[in-house]
Amino acid sequence: MTQIVQSEPGEIFDIELDENLKRANDLIAEENRKQLQKHGIRAIDVMGSVGAGKTSLIEQLVRLLKPRYRIAAFKGDLTSKIDYERIESLGIQAVQINTGRECHLDANLVKKALLKLDLTALDLLFIENVGNLICPADFPLGSDKRIVVISVTEGPYMVVKHPFIFADADVAVINKIDLARPMDVDTDKLAGDVRNINARTSVVLTNCRTGEGVKQVAAALGIDSAS
Ligand code: MG
Ligand code: ZN
């Protein structure tokens, strides 16, 4: 017999699920959204586990879109600056957001990071969230669109085990498809798992090392990449 233990409503002690905290975050996210809209900036929240390929995807999107758009990126990480240095080397405005012990970005950190940018000189903003597929779902940042990146090297159950983050995603990227066969992971099955959770989520297969599929990611975000 299967035995399941779960908390009842009102019995959750995780501070991240505190309703007041979520409301406070949502209010600031709304401010961020208005601020970005006022300047005609499209912001993309990029979520996914450590090693899925969030930074690689952003690098490829920047290379593809830089001829047409003025781009900046925020890099969320606990303490490291590795990704920031990768992105800064592409010659765009970048801001490192170190969250310390926090396992997700929140709207307040994004609000503070926005103060570091010249918003009048910007069209696109990529926000790389902290590597985590759970609580970022509960913390909208004020972005237009949310991408979730998973890779086949994480195994066949990444979607079904993280339903909340996919329920809220506009685009799901399945990365490292060149390794699907050696990993014995079925990308059609992963794509089907996403559609079962949210039929409106666009699913795109990529290899972010070569750039395969990156144009399709831009198209799925509604960003015209033709030069
Ligand atoms: Mg990264
Ligand atoms: Zn968290």
Side-chain angles (χ1 to χ4, degrees), residues 1-8 11:
M1 197 185 100
T2 310
Q3 301 192 76
I4 300 174
V5 172
Q6 57 188 12
S7 57
E8 300 300 326
E11 205 190 39

Side-chain angles (χ1 to χ4, degrees), residues 131-143:
N132 177 353
L133 278 177
I134 302 170
C135 46
D138 288 323
F139 289 85
L141 305 175
S143 63

Side-chain angles (χ1 to χ4, degrees), residues 16 101-105 132 134-136 139:
E16 284 167 5
R101 290 179 165 277
E102 286 288 301
C103 49
H104 55 269
L105 289 182
N132 177 353
I134 302 170
C135 46
F139 289 85

Side-chain angles (χ1 to χ4, degrees), residues 126-205:
F126 293 105
I127 304 172
E128 181 175 336
N129 218 307
V130 178
N132 177 353
L133 278 177
I134 302 170
C135 46
D138 288 323
F139 289 85
L141 305 175
S143 63
D144 282 336
K145 297 266 164 80
R146 304 189 98 183
I147 305 184
V148 183
V149 186
I150 57 167
S151 62
V152 299
T153 53
E154 296 167 297
Y157 305 119
M158 288 306 281
V159 178
V160 290
K161 288 195 176 191
H162 300 97
F164 303 115
I165 207 134
F166 288 95
D168 199 32
D170 301 288
V171 180
V173 170
I174 301 172
N175 190 29
K176 308 188 191 179
I177 50 169
D178 54 316
L179 300 175
R181 201 179 292 260
M183 288 301 297
D184 199 18
V185 168
D186 181 350
T187 53
D188 289 341
K189 169 75 169 59
L190 282 171
D193 290 342
V194 174
R195 291 193 192 97
N196 284 339
I197 292 169
N198 183 350
R200 284 165 305 152
T201 305
S202 308
V203 180
V204 185
L205 306 186

